[in-house]
Amino acid sequence: MSATRDWAPFRVVPTGEHAEAPRSIHTREGIGDRLRAAAFAEVQARDAFLWAAEHLLDASERLQAAWKSLAVEENKHLGWLMKRLAELGFEPGQRGVSDQLWHSLTRCKTAEEFSLFMATAEDRGRRAGERFFGELRDRDPTSAEIFRKIAEEEVEHIRLAETFFGFKPGQVEDRANSRPEGRTR
């Protein structure tokens, strides 16, 4: 079951609506948009890991502990992103964000399904972080380094699905796209 949350200080668009597209990464505002979106993704991941540890009762104690540990990591990433957003003079609520990730993750019914979807989301974030690092390293090395470091750490988060459920990196996206109730992204 999917739950609604208070996401303050972020401004969440109504369910079913898309957030505004990010502005060009070649602008200061576009960098802020990416920092904001990444920060909100980290919030959703953090809270979803904690939700899964409490609600997905088929998860082993070891997996539940791993999820709680990853929630701490996601919170660390959130801190880096929020600090940089503030340094650049942007507020989290200046533009709308979507909580679709949260809804997708909290619809999962098993630990395996959750792990698959989380690994898929983490891999998308990893690839975006690597791309942003490449695009920003000359213009905004501080933001670029934050995205690089998060992408590097996401690799370990993705391995959780492989460790517990035998997923191989190439299979994660394929299996996520075959979800019975339809694609979420």
Side-chain angles (χ1 to χ4, degrees):
M1 170 185 260
S2 188
T4 302
R5 309 201 33 108
D6 176 8
W7 297 114
F10 294 93
R11 182 171 52 86
V12 178
V13 299
T15 301
E17 289 186 21
H18 294 285
E20 296 173 81
R23 293 165 282 195
S24 170
I25 197 166
H26 302 290
T27 66
R28 192 172 159 281
E29 292 78 12
I31 295 169
D33 291 348
R34 282 152 184 85
L35 290 165
R36 179 181 300 104
F40 191 60
E42 297 291 343
V43 168
Q44 292 176 88
R46 177 199 64 197
D47 290 2
F49 277 127
L50 294 173
W51 172 88
E54 183 177 326
H55 290 90
L56 299 178
L57 303 179
D58 64 320
S60 68
E61 287 182 22
R62 190 170 146 242
L63 180 55
Q64 290 172 347
W67 284 338
K68 289 175 184 175
S69 176
L70 290 180
V72 171
E73 290 289 311
E74 302 293 358
N75 201 55
K76 176 181 72 173
H77 298 166
L78 171 63
W80 296 341
L81 293 159
M82 294 293 280
K83 180 178 183 235
R84 185 62 181 152
L85 196 63
E87 289 170 353
L88 293 176
F90 295 109
E91 295 291 329
Q94 280 177 295
R95 287 176 59 98
V97 293
S98 170
D99 63 355
Q100 183 58 43
L101 177 61
W102 166 257
H103 291 289
S104 294
L105 290 166
T106 58
R107 277 195 300 265
C108 293
K109 295 178 179 19
T110 66
E112 181 177 11
E113 181 183 14
F114 177 85
S115 293
L116 169 66
F117 273 79
M118 183 58 84
T120 303
E122 297 272 27
D123 192 49
R124 277 195 312 274
R126 178 195 59 77
R127 290 190 314 259
E130 290 172 351
R131 189 174 62 252
F132 297 156
F133 170 73
E135 293 182 37
L136 294 174
R137 69 178 156 212
D138 293 332
R139 283 180 295 114
D140 182 349
T142 302
S143 296
E145 182 57 22
I146 291 168
F147 284 118
R148 185 202 64 75
K149 183 66 174 160
I150 291 172
E152 180 181 280
E153 292 187 10
E154 297 298 5
V155 171
E156 289 303 314
H157 299 192
I158 295 163
R159 280 197 188 115
L160 192 65
E162 186 174 353
T163 300
F164 282 90
F165 298 105
F167 296 132
K168 302 292 180 220
Q171 296 173 325
V172 172
E173 192 69 35
D174 293 340
R175 290 183 68 182
N177 285 334
S178 65
R179 187 177 193 183
E181 54 276 357
R183 293 172 181 84
T184 59
R185 292 164 191 81

